[in-house]
Amino acid sequence: MSQQVAHWLDNLLKEIEGIEVRRKSSRRVRVDVPADALPALLELLQGRAGYIHLSAISCVDWIDDDEFELVYHVWSYESHSLVSAHIRIAREPGVYLSVYDLYQPAAFFERDIHEMYGIHFEGSPNMEKFILTEWDGPPPMRKEFDSEAYINEHLSWQEYNPEWLQELVAEGGGVIIPPEEQRFSQKKK
Amino acid sequence: MRPENYEAQRQPPSNEYELNFGPNHPGIEGNYALKVKLHGDIVLEAKADGGYLHRGFEKLMEQRLWIQNIALVPRICVPDPSPMELCYSMAVEELCGLKVPQRAQWLRVMQLELSRIAAHLFTFGGHAATTGMYSTMYWGVADRDLLLDLFEEFTGGRVYSIYNIPGGVRRELPEGFLQRLTETLDYIESRLPDYDNLFFKNQVFVKRAKGTGVMSREQALEWGVTGPNLRATGLAFDVRRDDPYLVYDQLAFDIPVEESGDAWARTLVRRQELMESIRILRQVVEILPDIHGPIRAPIPNPLAWNVPAGETYTRVESSKGELCYYVVSNGGPKPYRVHVRGPSSMHAVQVLEKMSVGSRIEDIAQTMFSLDACPPEVDR
C-alpha cells in the first residue's frame, strides 16, 4: 500500500466515531469499532475505498469477558491491503446484524458461526444447519462445550487388542521397510 | 440424509421433482451433496448439503499443543495439503516474531509448487472423468504419483508431508534430490502436449466445457470467488504476487488469465498455471544450491511452548484459491482459536448453488470439478 493511500484510508476511517486504528504492517490494518458502527464502517470501506472482497468473518469466544468477538476481514484489490474490523458483542443473547446486503459471502460465514457458536444474525438469508445437520446439542465451538467430556458421557470406549497386535508388540512392534524396498529408491532412471 | 431420517412425502402433481445429487456420486468431489429441484433435466434450485467430512478440526486444534497441530492441519484439505501447513506455521511465526531462515523459505516454495502441480493433475483427472474420459484420470493420477515419490523422498510422507514446523522446515534435502526433481519436471513438461491432445484440445471436452458454468467478473467478485476461478474471469489476482509471502517476490512468474469465465476457461487457467509452477521450480533448483544456512529458526521446547498473546490473519494462494488462517493466542500452550477459511467454502456452497440454477443436471459435475471445489475444506 502506498503512503498516499494509507494516509487517505486513515482519514476516511476517522469519519467513524469511537474507532481505533492500528497499522500492523504495510498491508494489514486492525480496526476496533463499537458494534453498532460496524455496518457504517464496512459501507465506507466498500463504497469509498474499494474493499470489495470479504475474505472471512471469524468468531472468537471470550468466555471470561462474557463476550463474542467478531472479526470482519476485508481486502481491497486496488490498494492490496487487508482491513480486519473487530467488534465485541454480548454473549447473551448473542444477536447481531447480518452484513449480507453489503457482502454476499457473509451468508456462508454467518451461517457457520450461527451453527458453531449460536450467534443469530438478523437479516441473514439462511440460518439453517449446514454441517451439523443431525446435532441437537449445544453449539460445539463455544468454550463451555467440552468435547472430551461429551464423548465420555455419551459414548463408550472399546477394547481393541487382537492377537496379531499382541504378537507384533511382543516382537518389538512396528513394521520395518528396508531401504532397498522403499518406493523412491526403486525408481531408477 | 440418512435413510432412517428420510420420509417420502406425497406432493401435488407437478413436473418438478427433487433429487439428491450426492453424497456418494462420481460427479461430486469428496463426500458432499446437492439437493436439486428439477424440471425435466433443468435445475430449478440447488441447495448444498455439507457436513459429511466434518471432523471438527477447529475445536480439536484448541485442545492440542501448538506443535501437535502441525500434524492436524494438512488433513483439512486432502488433495492440496501443503498450503495448510504453511499457513498455520506462518501464523505461529508471526505471533512469536520468529524469523524464518532464507533456505527454509526457498524449500517451502518448492514444497508448495510441487503440491500445486500434484493438485492440478488430480483435478484434471477428476474433471476429465466427468466428461467420460477416464484415460486422463489414469494419466493424471499416475503422473501425480511421481510427485508423491518426490514428497516421500524429501519430507518422509507421500500425501501429508508435515514438512513445515513453526520456524522453518523439518529436514534438509537428500543428496542429489534437485537432480531428480529436474528429471521429474522435464518428464511432466514433456507430457503436457500429450495431455493437450488427450484432454484440453479434445472436442469432447471443449464442446462440453465451453459455455458451461459461466460467471462474469462482477459476479465472481460479488460471490467472493478467488484463485484460478477468479482469474478465469479476467482478473489477474494472485496472493503470491499481490500479497507476497515467503520469497515469491524474488521469483519470476506470470499470472495466467482467461476472459470467458466458463468451465473451459477455468481449466485452461490451471493448465497454464502448471507450466508457471514448473517455471518457479526450475528457478528454485537454480538458486537453492547457493543459499546456505540453517533450515529452521531456534524454537523453545515445543512441549512447553507458550506462544505470546495476539492474533493474526495469514493468507496463502493454494491451488484452489485464497486460503487463510485466523489464529488467536491468549499466551497459553494451545491456540485459543483457529479459524480456517478455505477457498472452497465459497466455491462449493454459494457459487455452486447459484451456477447450477438453469443448467442441466449433467452439467453440475462439470461445474463442480471446474470450480475445483474441495468439500473437506468446507466441512473442516
Side-chain angles (χ1 to χ4, degrees), chain B residues 187-341:
Chain B
Y187 170 75
I188 299 271
E189 196 182 352
S190 74
R191 290 278 282 171
L192 286 178
D194 295 340
Y195 276 99
D196 285 342
N197 290 331
L198 184 72
F199 180 51
F200 298 104
K201 288 184 196 163
N202 190 330
Q203 286 305 303
V204 174
F205 166 69
V206 174
K207 286 194 174 156
R208 198 76 162 67
K210 267 193 182 173
T212 302
V214 188
M215 63 177 153
S216 66
R217 191 185 309 173
E218 288 70 30
Q219 282 174 323
L221 289 172
E222 216 167 83
W223 297 343
V225 173
T226 52
N229 300 332
L230 180 63
R231 294 192 279 278
T233 64
L235 188 76
F237 174 77
D238 192 316
V239 181
R240 288 176 291 173
R241 185 193 66 179
D242 298 315
D243 193 5
Y245 49 98
L246 299 180
V247 287
Y248 277 111
D249 47 357
Q250 299 172 38
L251 287 158
F253 61 97
D254 292 325
I255 298 172
V257 285
E258 289 287 332
E259 295 293 330
S260 55
D262 52 8
W264 183 69
R266 290 192 282 275
T267 315
L268 279 202
V269 166
R270 293 202 181 86
R271 155 76 177 80
Q272 294 168 56
E273 264 181 23
L274 207 66
M275 210 47 236
E276 291 304 319
S277 291
I278 293 177
R279 196 172 143 200
I280 293 175
L281 281 169
R282 291 218 167 106
Q283 294 173 51
V284 173
V285 170
E286 205 171 295
I287 295 170
L288 200 54
D290 299 331
I291 297 171
H292 304 285
I295 54 165
R296 58 175 173 266
I299 54 170
N301 176 4
L303 300 180
W305 188 3
N306 292 332
V307 168
E311 47 87 31
T312 182
Y313 192 66
T314 45
R315 319 208 292 164
V316 301
E317 180 84 23
S318 84
S319 68
K320 294 157 202 331
E322 175 197 27
L323 169 72
C324 310
Y325 270 60
Y326 181 65
V327 181
V328 181
S329 168
N330 62 350
K334 296 167 185 173
Y336 190 74
R337 167 81 170 117
V338 182
H339 178 216
V340 184
R341 187 263 189 221

Side-chain angles (χ1 to χ4, degrees), chain A residues 156-167:
Chain A
S156 50
W157 295 97
Q158 278 181 356
E159 281 292 325
Y160 185 70
N161 200 12
E163 263 176 37
W164 64 266
L165 191 63
Q166 290 172 21
E167 280 169 25

Side-chain angles (χ1 to χ4, degrees), chain A residues 62-116:
Chain A
W62 296 103
I63 191 166
D64 295 340
D65 304 343
D66 214 13
E67 279 177 327
F68 284 122
E69 183 179 21
L70 291 173
V71 193
Y72 294 72
H73 310 277
V74 287
W75 170 259
S76 162
Y77 285 109
E78 287 157 41
S79 61
H80 292 168
S81 61
L82 187 110
V83 175
S84 296
H86 295 240
I87 59 163
R88 293 247 184 168
I89 59 167
R91 245 169 145 257
E92 291 302 329
V95 177
Y96 193 62
L97 291 173
S98 167
V99 295
Y100 178 71
D101 53 339
L102 293 169
Y103 295 103
Q104 287 193 27
F108 174 82
F109 297 118
E110 287 169 355
R111 191 177 174 186
D112 194 55
I113 293 172
H114 176 249
E115 198 168 17
M116 299 294 173

Side-chain angles (χ1 to χ4, degrees), chain B residues 83-103:
Chain B
M84 292 280 173
E85 305 171 6
L86 176 81
C87 207
Y88 174 77
S89 303
M90 272 166 51
V92 181
E93 282 149 16
E94 205 171 307
L95 288 171
C96 296
L98 282 174
K99 221 173 145 15
V100 182
Q102 274 291 310
R103 190 166 167 83

Side-chain angles (χ1 to χ4, degrees), chain A residues 22 24-25 27-28 30 52-64 69 71 73 75-77 80-82 84 86 100 102-109 111-113 116-117 126 128-134 139-148 182-185 187 189, chain B residues 1-2 5 32 47-52 54 58-59 62-64 94 145-146 149-150 152-153 158 180 183-184 187 221-226 230 235 237 241-245 311-315 322 324 326 328-330 335-339 341 345-346 349-350 353-354 378-380:
Chain A
R22 200 152 57 86
K24 291 170 88 178
S25 72
R27 287 189 306 273
R28 296 283 185 277
R30 180 189 163 129
I52 57 167
H53 175 57
L54 176 73
S55 183
I57 306 175
S58 309
C59 180
V60 189
D61 182 3
W62 296 103
I63 191 166
D64 295 340
E69 183 179 21
V71 193
H73 310 277
W75 170 259
S76 162
Y77 285 109
H80 292 168
S81 61
L82 187 110
S84 296
H86 295 240
Y100 178 71
L102 293 169
Y103 295 103
Q104 287 193 27
F108 174 82
F109 297 118
R111 191 177 174 186
D112 194 55
I113 293 172
M116 299 294 173
Y117 288 92
N126 194 350
E128 275 169 38
K129 282 185 173 174
F130 179 62
I131 290 170
L132 307 170
T133 324
E134 284 158 12
M141 283 298 288
R142 287 190 175 216
K143 284 283 174 189
E144 75 257 25
F145 178 77
D146 185 342
S147 46
E148 227 174 291
Q182 281 173 19
R183 215 174 152 165
F184 57 80
S185 50
K187 203 181 68 190
K189 295 272 169 183
Chain B
M1 239 187 246
R2 285 187 192 162
N5 296 336
Y32 196 68
K47 267 189 184 168
D49 176 27
Y52 300 97
H54 179 63
E58 291 181 359
K59 187 79 181 178
E62 290 173 9
Q63 300 161 356
R64 301 279 185 282
E94 205 171 307
D145 230 44
L146 299 175
D149 285 346
L150 291 177
E152 186 182 1
E153 186 177 353
R158 290 177 72 75
R180 286 188 288 282
E183 281 166 16
T184 307
Y187 170 75
L221 289 172
E222 216 167 83
W223 297 343
V225 173
T226 52
L230 180 63
L235 188 76
F237 174 77
R241 185 193 66 179
D242 298 315
D243 193 5
Y245 49 98
E311 47 87 31
T312 182
Y313 192 66
T314 45
R315 319 208 292 164
E322 175 197 27
C324 310
Y326 181 65
V328 181
S329 168
N330 62 350
Y336 190 74
R337 167 81 170 117
V338 182
H339 178 216
R341 187 263 189 221
S345 55
M346 291 297 110
V349 190
Q350 297 178 57
E353 278 176 1
K354 283 173 177 141
V378 184
D379 294 349
R380 287 156 289 148

